[in-house]
Amino acid sequence: MTTVNAARLHARIASLARFGALPGGGVTRPCWSPPYEEARAWLLAEIRAAGLSAWVDPAGNVLGGLGASSFSAAAPAVLTGSHIDTVPEGGILDGALGVLAGLECLHAIREASATPRRPLVVAAWSDEEGRYGSLFGSRAFCGRLDVAAIPTMAAADGERLVDAMARAGFDAARAPAAAAPAGAVHAYVELHIEQGPRLDEAGVPIAAVDSIVGVRRSRLIFRGQADHAGTTPMDRRRDAFLAAADYALRARELVVERGGGRSVTNIGVVYVHPGVSNIVPGRAELVHEMRSPDDDTLEHLARACEALARDIGDKRGIGVEIQRTSATTPVACSPRVQAAVVAACTQLGLPCTTLYSAAGHDAQNLALITDAGMVFIPSHGGKSHRVDEISDPEAIERGANVLLGTLLTLAAE
């Protein structure tokens, strides 16, 4: 029975963590940044050292193939992978585990001189974390990019995607050319840490994911009147920040009350202008995110929150501008891929449960063009998107071997 080389996998995880490493642990490695480009070069070298074909597509996706050096409908590939970009002050496993475990699986299969019926490919999708555009690389691969929006896509700090890609040697206008030919992917499976507490608290080692939440992000701009903070009477102020703060609190209550118990919300970006203590804020900007496994619920919440923002603006004499910046649709994972995951767990003697993913993943784009699924391993303490994110080494090895068994089953079909 073929198994992964756990020592080699852990060594690669440690090596990748060097790029963008932070002094207190964790990593900051946004897509297209210098640390990211160094990590991309390292990954390409590791793919080639494993005896696999290596290439990069026009969207910046890094790909490694066993029995393939491109995608073709004549020989549909079984695809795995995740991403190597990170959130600011993130952990070393989010995304990286799926890429490096996928690489290890293909490496182990090649070393065992196995001859799968179908080609196998591992992918590191670009900008999964959405600094410039959520799930950018897998959107491009799946033909889901909004081409007209590419020139205006930008990070929260204003840096444009076209400039970031150009700095890294890519032409953003060519990203849509990364789209795979129809029928070129037989199936997709992604290994990931759960990023939440459910598996860890239940003491279950593996989950087959049955669905992935959708995400809505909007930028809300509240425009009031900048005035002297000492001389302007309180009843005459048009304070944009107070309107934004009122919205933040009431939007949270709305999502909790109307979200069906499985919807969540977050406001993680706040800008206040002019941003000094002695001027009443004349402008405030929020980036509001909502997630739910039900698309109708998401749309209902989005419309309700937009109405809330306008109502607050009217009552406070504040202008409100709402920009829907991104939207991903909840998707169901393939029963066929879920069955392959369960079969791999059975062969390894591992208990397995079924969960929905409360985080967005590239798999939800792949699910629009092929049978797609995911494998979760426990996150210790449910921690993720923070520097102390970790999973036990044994959990990583188990997950990689489940991924290996799943890939071999799908490649034999």
Side-chain angles (χ1 to χ4, degrees):
M1 177 181 174
T2 304
T3 58
V4 301
N5 182 325
R8 185 167 60 196
L9 173 56
H10 289 302
R12 283 183 175 138
I13 291 171
S15 293
L16 180 57
R18 294 182 290 115
F19 302 101
L22 301 172
V27 62
T28 295
R29 192 169 57 232
C31 195
W32 317 113
S33 67
Y36 183 88
E37 291 306 307
E38 292 171 2
R40 184 206 302 280
W42 172 86
L43 179 60
L44 284 165
E46 289 294 307
I47 290 170
R48 296 185 180 106
L52 309 175
S53 302
W55 70 101
V56 180
D57 70 18
N61 298 314
V62 177
L63 299 146
L66 179 62
S69 56
S70 63
F71 289 94
S72 168
V78 174
L79 183 57
T80 188
S82 194
H83 60 98
I84 61 170
D85 64 312
T86 76
V87 296
E89 299 181 14
I92 68 171
L93 293 177
D94 178 3
L97 173 63
V99 174
L100 298 180
L103 170 58
E104 175 54 35
C105 288
L106 270 59
H107 196 168
I109 292 169
R110 190 195 66 77
E111 284 185 331
S113 300
T115 54
R117 180 167 177 262
R118 299 183 181 277
L120 290 158
V121 178
V122 59
W125 307 112
S126 61
D127 201 15
E128 191 271 357
E129 295 292 0
R131 172 169 166 78
Y132 305 93
S134 179
L135 310 177
F136 178 82
S138 59
R139 280 183 190 271
F141 182 82
C142 298
R144 307 287 295 183
L145 274 185
D146 180 354
V147 178
I150 289 175
T152 62
M153 294 172 74
D157 62 7
E159 183 181 40
R160 299 190 309 157
L161 171 70
V162 293
D163 297 329
M165 289 186 69
R167 184 182 63 230
F170 292 86
D171 180 357
R174 294 196 62 244
V185 181
H186 176 69
Y188 176 79
V189 58
E190 180 172 350
L191 174 64
H192 211 282
I193 57 172
E194 186 204 339
Q195 299 182 272
R198 295 171 295 177
L199 280 179
D200 189 48
E201 291 179 356
V204 179
I206 298 289
V209 176
D210 61 5
S211 60
I212 304 171
V213 297
V215 182
R216 295 283 192 281
R217 289 195 185 107
S218 296
R219 179 175 284 109
L220 295 96
I221 302 168
F222 297 85
R223 291 189 172 90
Q225 176 66 53
D227 279 307
H228 195 294
T231 62
T232 307
M234 295 299 288
D235 61 351
R236 298 187 188 181
R237 300 184 185 206
R238 295 173 57 221
D239 188 326
F241 172 71
L242 285 184
D246 190 12
Y247 172 82
L249 291 170
R250 291 170 63 184
R252 181 190 186 280
E253 293 172 358
L254 188 154
V255 172
V256 171
E257 291 172 0
R258 304 187 198 177
R262 298 201 299 172
S263 303
V264 296
T265 183
N266 187 60
I267 293 174
V269 177
V270 180
Y271 295 113
V272 176
H273 183 82
V276 292
S277 63
N278 59 357
I279 301 178
V280 175
R283 184 176 184 274
E285 179 177 331
L286 306 177
V287 177
H288 184 197
E289 178 184 284
M290 292 180 288
R291 304 182 186 220
S292 175
D294 181 79
D295 197 46
D296 289 341
T297 299
L298 260 183
E299 184 59 27
H300 167 77
L301 292 174
R303 291 180 183 275
C305 285
E306 289 170 2
L308 172 65
R310 293 189 182 98
D311 181 62
I312 289 171
D314 289 343
K315 291 178 178 177
R316 291 182 174 271
I318 301 291
V320 179
E321 178 184 346
I322 302 167
Q323 303 169 356
R324 290 197 179 192
T325 56
S326 67
T328 56
T329 303
V331 298
C333 293
S334 162
R336 181 166 66 88
V337 175
Q338 292 179 61
V341 173
V342 172
C345 289
T346 299
Q347 186 176 22
L348 293 166
L350 295 174
C352 178
T353 190
T354 301
L355 293 176
Y356 76 89
S357 173
H361 296 286
D362 292 300
Q364 63 198 92
N365 284 326
L366 274 295
L368 302 176
I369 67 166
T370 190
D371 281 352
M374 296 189 71
V375 180
F376 277 171
I377 64 169
S379 296
H380 192 21
K383 302 170 186 174
S384 187
H385 280 193
R386 46 191 281 185
V387 297
D388 58 351
E389 161 195 288
I390 197 65
S391 293
D392 293 335
E394 297 80 10
I396 291 172
E397 182 177 358
R398 285 192 294 264
N401 277 316
V402 170
L403 177 64
L404 176 60
T406 304
L407 291 173
L408 288 172
T409 295
L410 295 172
E413 293 176 340

